[in-house]
Amino acid sequence: MEKIAVLTSGGDSPGMNAAIRAVVRKGLYHGLEVIGIKHGYAGLMRGEMEVMDLGSVADIIQRGGTKLYTARCEEFKTPTGQAQGAARLREWGIDALVVIGGDGSFRGARALSALGINTVGIPGTIDNDIPCTDYTIGFDTAVNTVIEAIDKIRDTATSHERTYVVEVMGRNAGDIAMIAGLAGGAESILIPEAPFQLPEVLQRLQHGIERGKRHSIILVAEGVGHGMKIGEQISEATGWEVRVTVLGHLQRGGSPTAFDRALASRMGAFAIDLLLQGTTSVMIGVRGQQLVPIDIEEALRTPRSFDMSLYELAGILSI
Ligand code: F6P
């Protein structure tokens, strides 16, 4: 193994830069040549490659986004696109590719592996929706961003004695809503993993009012539906003044937390260790404190686990 490449793909997440930095610096430390590929798989197909040195990843550990840019690439989902990507890597004499991204990115990595390319995947997405890993890079930062927003919204919700619906990201996963709701004391949390029943939500809110609560925050994961629509439903059913905030893409930005920087640094370095010991076609997962290689095929077919007990706890504590 002499020459490796790294790319980021799919939605960016805070901490991707720290992962790139770790791949580059650990690779150089072991005498590897490291190539950065810009714009994910789209850039790979176009041959957007540059040689990385120690300085090229200076001053990025604290920055959100990705220095290598990212893209969602439809063409790379086709056998022609994948063959073109593999051909580019061979043209450049690249022995292995580190892919930082989510499940779509790992499907791309699996296709490259099938074409004989050595690959290692690093889970980077705010959604925390990748099987076989407790955490993905960026999730912790996104949750902290949501909590900060909830705290601010609560100030005005308390002052006006209003009900607020706050919609958060997560695609089909409720992890951001669940953990931010637990940590932010949301009165109700709506996630795709639990059926949404309006009467139940209203009953919870009513119960709060009866015990003297004058405001409430309902956290809605985007996988459940539009916050705006749910706000209207609550308003129609109760006659209350409901305000809706959609946090949107601000959840994807910002300086990564210490947790995400450390996780990304560890995962980036571990990717190099795996490649040097000849372990490829894997995704890196974190289980407890331990980093583990997981066969990429297994990672893609394993159903995602979800800790319902935390959701129930949030419900108990917010009564
Ligand atoms: O996967 C990350 C994510 O931010 C999801 O939470 C969200 O549904 C989606 O990406 C938004 O995608 P885009 O940036 O293409 O609008």
Side-chain angles (χ1 to χ4, degrees):
M1 182 87 36
E2 286 173 9
K3 193 173 182 180
I4 64 151
V6 56
L7 62 77
T8 48
S9 158
D12 62 319
S13 68
M16 278 185 165
N17 274 329
I20 296 168
R21 172 179 176 269
V23 169
V24 171
R25 292 207 168 155
K26 187 83 181 331
L28 293 174
Y29 174 81
H30 287 288
L32 299 176
E33 192 179 340
V34 186
I35 306 295
I37 300 173
K38 290 188 173 167
H39 300 112
Y41 291 122
L44 168 62
M45 290 189 322
R46 294 193 291 258
E48 289 181 40
M49 306 192 187
E50 66 178 32
V51 175
M52 309 288 277
D53 58 23
L54 289 175
S56 56
V57 289
D59 200 24
I60 64 167
I61 194 168
Q62 77 282 19
R63 296 190 199 284
T66 159
K67 185 193 166 65
L68 290 175
Y69 304 96
T70 187
R72 301 190 204 278
C73 180
E74 284 304 312
E75 214 183 331
F76 199 73
K77 292 179 184 162
T78 67
T80 316
Q82 291 155 4
Q84 198 177 325
R88 287 281 187 205
L89 290 166
R90 289 201 176 94
E91 244 170 60
W92 274 65
I94 292 166
D95 302 309
L97 176 67
V98 178
V99 173
I100 307 168
D103 54 352
S105 313
F106 294 156
R107 274 190 281 277
R110 177 179 58 185
L112 287 173
S113 292
L115 293 169
I117 305 290
N118 295 312
T119 57
V120 172
I122 295 180
T125 163
I126 62 164
D127 300 336
N128 208 40
D129 61 348
I130 308 290
C132 309
T133 185
D134 295 346
Y135 293 106
T136 58
I137 296 167
F139 171 66
D140 185 65
T141 306
V143 166
N144 278 283
T145 300
V146 174
I147 288 172
E148 205 183 315
I150 293 177
D151 291 348
K152 286 179 176 162
I153 287 170
R154 200 179 283 286
D155 287 345
T156 177
T158 321
S159 307
H160 283 266
E161 301 180 309
R162 274 175 180 157
T163 298
Y164 268 82
V165 170
V166 181
E167 182 191 310
V168 299
M169 279 187 167
R171 208 178 282 278
N172 300 315
D175 294 49
I176 295 179
M178 182 182 72
I179 300 297
L182 174 66
E187 276 65 29
S188 197
I189 306 169
L190 309 184
I191 53 170
E193 292 81 357
F196 163 47
Q197 272 143 3
L198 187 63
E200 222 175 80
V201 174
L202 296 179
Q203 204 183 343
R204 280 186 70 82
L205 297 178
Q206 192 57 43
H207 185 258
I209 290 169
E210 278 159 20
R211 76 149 188 83
K213 266 195 185 179
R214 312 289 296 167
H215 75 275
S216 44
I217 292 178
I218 303 158
L219 210 52
V220 179
E222 65 176 348
V224 172
H226 289 297
M228 211 55 95
K229 186 98 187 288
I230 291 168
E232 275 166 22
Q233 285 175 309
I234 295 173
S235 184
E236 273 164 25
T238 59
W240 300 338
E241 194 176 20
V242 178
R243 293 285 188 269
V244 179
T245 303
V246 179
L247 295 183
H249 287 81
L250 69 83
Q251 295 161 93
R252 285 241 295 264
S255 180
T257 57
F259 180 90
D260 275 329
R261 295 184 201 193
L263 181 66
S265 300
R266 290 173 65 206
M267 284 184 165
F270 191 52
I272 300 297
D273 290 339
L274 291 173
L275 289 174
L276 289 175
Q277 74 191 38
T279 308
T280 70
S281 303
V282 292
M283 176 203 99
I284 297 173
V286 57
R287 288 180 174 151
Q289 288 300 309
Q290 201 69 29
L291 294 185
V292 282
I294 296 135
D295 182 78
I296 202 138
E297 198 65 57
E298 185 194 333
L300 286 170
R301 68 160 183 262
T302 305
R304 212 173 61 83
S305 61
F306 186 81
D307 192 347
M308 260 336 227
S309 71
L310 285 182
Y311 181 65
E312 284 155 16
L313 176 64
I316 292 168
L317 300 183
S318 67
I319 272 179

